[in-house]
Amino acid sequence: MNDFVESIGNESEAFAATIRPDVLDRRVPHCPDWTLRDLAWHLGRVQQFWALVVRAGVDERPEFEPRRPGPTEAAALAAWMRESTRELIDALRDAADDAPAWTWWGEPRTAAAVGRHQVQEAAVHRWDAQSVLGRPAPFPAALATDAVGEFVEIFRKLRPRAPIALEATDTGHTFTLSDGEAAVTVSAPSGDLLLLLYGRLSPDDVQVVGDRVLLGVLLTPIE
């Protein structure tokens, strides 16, 4: 769990550091319906919700009344967001890895599974926030590789398995979405694969060999 907690903290803090008065009303490039302020409210509420899930300690979705949107002023909003992150981190630290916790994607329904998923939630939205300011920092390779692996695990549970392979050129990991031979292979650094899976990059930004039409199955949002 410690690796997850550290990554959530690092990525969330990097997001919070982008919150400045002069950029709060800028649109987020890959979430054009949101300003940076909206994105901060979103991640803060997400972290509050999953803190509640872990604290509940049961395999049942808890009642959650989203709090009113966070503060509008930059300094107060950054402080509110950091407090939301602390709520999640404290809940994860207090829970055993195998403690029961509801998840929308199914097994494993544990606190550790929540922590693992919240790493990519924080990391992708950190990337979004930094995109508002200019060039975002890359993802750590280990974080991106695990996030791609988790995405594939969830996909294989919730979607018809597709003959697609993802090759992380920086780490050498290969992820397959079916048990058969791949009809299309996507190759890119692990961070770019993660951005592709979350709609921040397009197939034209990575190397694709094989039946590109199949990628539509992969790139349709799970939720």
Side-chain angles (χ1 to χ4, degrees), residues 87-222:
E87 287 183 29
L88 176 59
I89 286 176
D90 287 348
L92 290 169
R93 282 178 171 156
D94 290 344
D97 285 1
D98 60 354
W102 174 84
T103 64
W104 57 261
W105 57 88
E107 298 295 336
R109 294 180 184 267
T110 64
V114 170
R116 186 185 186 196
H117 192 70
Q118 284 307 297
V119 171
Q120 58 181 280
E121 181 87 30
V124 171
H125 286 320
R126 181 274 298 167
W127 190 93
D128 289 333
Q130 291 182 336
S131 295
V132 174
L133 305 183
R135 187 175 180 83
F139 301 110
L143 182 158
T145 299
D146 187 68
V148 171
E150 192 222 18
F151 186 101
V152 169
E153 290 171 20
I154 292 173
F155 185 98
R156 287 171 65 105
K157 295 173 189 173
L158 302 182
R159 288 280 179 82
R161 296 189 178 185
I164 301 171
L166 306 173
E167 294 182 344
T169 57
D170 55 336
T171 65
H173 286 77
T174 298
F175 307 91
T176 58
L177 284 89
S178 72
D179 298 327
E181 182 178 355
V184 59
T185 299
V186 180
S187 300
S190 54
D192 286 354
L193 291 178
L194 180 59
L195 293 172
L196 175 72
L197 295 173
Y198 280 91
R200 273 58 175 181
L201 294 181
S202 79
D204 292 336
D205 298 313
V206 297
Q207 180 181 344
V208 179
V209 177
D211 185 356
R212 296 174 68 94
V213 175
L214 283 172
L215 292 182
V217 177
L218 174 62
L219 302 181
T220 301
I222 292 176

Side-chain angles (χ1 to χ4, degrees), residues 11-102:
E11 296 294 326
S12 299
E13 177 55 34
F15 184 134
T18 70
I19 298 175
R20 307 191 318 240
D22 59 316
V23 297
L24 278 179
D25 293 316
R26 290 187 190 176
R27 293 288 166 181
V28 180
H30 296 278
C31 306
D33 291 339
W34 286 352
T35 63
L36 181 61
R37 181 186 289 107
D38 296 326
L39 185 65
W41 287 342
H42 167 74
L43 183 58
R45 288 194 295 265
V46 165
Q47 292 182 336
Q48 292 165 10
F49 171 76
W50 287 105
L52 179 63
V53 168
V54 173
R55 292 285 189 201
V58 294
D59 181 7
E60 182 177 336
R61 182 186 176 105
E63 292 293 328
F64 177 71
E65 294 186 11
R67 302 174 192 179
R68 302 294 298 174
T72 58
E73 186 269 328
L77 179 57
W80 174 86
M81 186 177 164
R82 289 182 172 109
E83 178 57 31
S84 299
T85 302
R86 279 193 291 272
E87 287 183 29
L88 176 59
I89 286 176
D90 287 348
L92 290 169
R93 282 178 171 156
D94 290 344
D97 285 1
D98 60 354
W102 174 84

